[in-house]
Amino acid sequence: MARNCRFAVAVHITAVLALHRDTPATSDWIAGSVNTNPVVVRRILSALAKAGLVTSQRGIAGGSFLARDPEDISLLDLYRAVDEQEAQALHHQPPNPKCPVGAHIVPVLVDILTKAETAKEKELGRISIGDVAAAVKARAAA
Amino acid sequence: MARNCRFAVAVHITAVLALHRDTPATSDWIAGSVNTNPVVVRRILSALAKAGLVTSQRGIAGGSFLARDPEDISLLDLYRAVDEQEAQALHHQPPNPKCPVGAHIVPVLVDILTKAETAKEKELGRISIGDVAAAVKARAAA
DNA sequence: CTAATTGTAATTATACTAGTTACAAATATT
DNA sequence: AATATTTGTAACTAGTATAATTACAATTAG
């Protein structure tokens, strides 16, 4: 249990919200679809709320809504809200500065990893929750 | 200590090998540059050898070499050799098939993650170990 | 007032990681 | 042939991130 699946769950949650825009969805109900504990859902909803992507309401008729139209929420928004910094890791210990390679490899690596991460994020930015909801709907109809 | 830095170390190791093509580099020597334990280096060298990127020789004059020209080894080669499948994780437990979203979200997610991962890998494929070695050299000279 | 719901802290079990020790297998040098 | 050095791996350890779970205060509709 060491692999981060928060992004996948965030996409799932927001897809549910996109398909139920009229009534608030409770964390318990969403958890039933995701097949996990409601607290796990609330934690991710909390991160999404901090990013302004969803709103939640306490109380007996409470639950969560998308804060914007599904077409105006990209997967990159979710990714950033939830994964904080998924960037590939650098050295655990700083390399040896007395070796020419050790002394200069880190900024070179940072440059490489930034390029790779940027390409990935660009793809995620092209897809909206609306697209995801439509894809789910299309598969359900088929 | 849960973040994977094998790719970063693999780039470091192969950069060292690219700048010392004439003599074999021992895992002990490389470990001194990376600032880690020689066994960690040997483990990564072993993965690279399985992918045909380096060759190693045992014995008193042993050590490792690049198996190809640095320009012919891409960072994608290293990434694949070392990270096996770094792809972003899906749900921990399979979602609820009785919910329309739960029943159809997984293939949609796979499609999304594949696109994102492919974009990242395309970037890594554009960069060679030769490029990395040149960048390190340039910084060392500056 | 009551019941239902969110928000969050605390705890737990699991798994992955790098680091480390240990040692057999291989090999160049003498 | 003997020796010293190096790789290749297995086994183990400590540290840490993760999801799941329990618990409970705060909020709110009816």
Side-chain angles (χ1 to χ4, degrees), chain A residues 41-127:
Chain A
V41 172
R42 292 207 285 268
R43 271 201 287 251
I44 292 180
L45 281 169
S46 172
L48 299 181
K50 270 171 196 152
L53 305 175
V54 305
T55 58
S56 299
Q57 203 164 23
R58 295 179 167 191
I60 197 168
S64 299
F65 290 98
L66 288 187
R68 307 204 290 258
D69 282 342
E71 290 73 24
D72 292 336
I73 298 178
S74 75
L75 297 191
L76 179 56
D77 293 328
L78 299 183
Y79 180 74
R80 287 189 169 148
V82 143
D83 264 318
E84 300 150 38
Q85 66 111 339
E86 156 71 13
Q88 196 117 33
L90 291 176
H91 296 62
H92 204 223
Q93 298 293 118
N96 182 355
K98 287 176 192 156
C99 166
V101 178
H104 301 97
I105 191 76
V106 170
V108 174
L109 269 169
V110 167
D111 184 47
I112 290 164
L113 296 176
T114 302
K115 272 182 190 157
E117 182 68 12
T118 300
K120 179 178 178 178
E121 295 190 357
K122 206 170 167 185
E123 282 302 309
L124 294 180
R126 288 203 183 100
I127 306 171

Side-chain angles (χ1 to χ4, degrees), chain A residues 1-10 44 78-79 82-87 120, chain B residues 2-3 86-92 113:
Chain A
M1 191 181 304
R3 204 150 200 96
N4 183 333
C5 59
R6 288 194 293 266
F7 175 70
V9 174
I44 292 180
L78 299 183
Y79 180 74
V82 143
D83 264 318
E84 300 150 38
Q85 66 111 339
E86 156 71 13
K120 179 178 178 178
Chain B
R3 203 149 201 96
E86 157 71 14
Q88 197 118 31
L90 292 177
H91 296 62
H92 204 224
L113 296 176

Side-chain angles (χ1 to χ4, degrees), chain B residues 1-2 25-27 39 42-43 46 56-60 63 92:
Chain B
M1 191 183 305
T26 68
S27 63
V39 174
R42 291 207 287 267
R43 270 202 287 250
S46 172
S56 299
Q57 202 163 24
R58 295 178 167 190
I60 198 167
H92 204 224

Side-chain angles (χ1 to χ4, degrees), chain B residues 83-106:
Chain B
D83 266 318
E84 298 150 39
Q85 67 110 336
E86 157 71 14
Q88 197 118 31
L90 292 177
H91 296 62
H92 204 224
Q93 298 292 117
N96 183 354
K98 288 176 193 159
C99 166
V101 178
H104 301 96
I105 191 76
V106 169

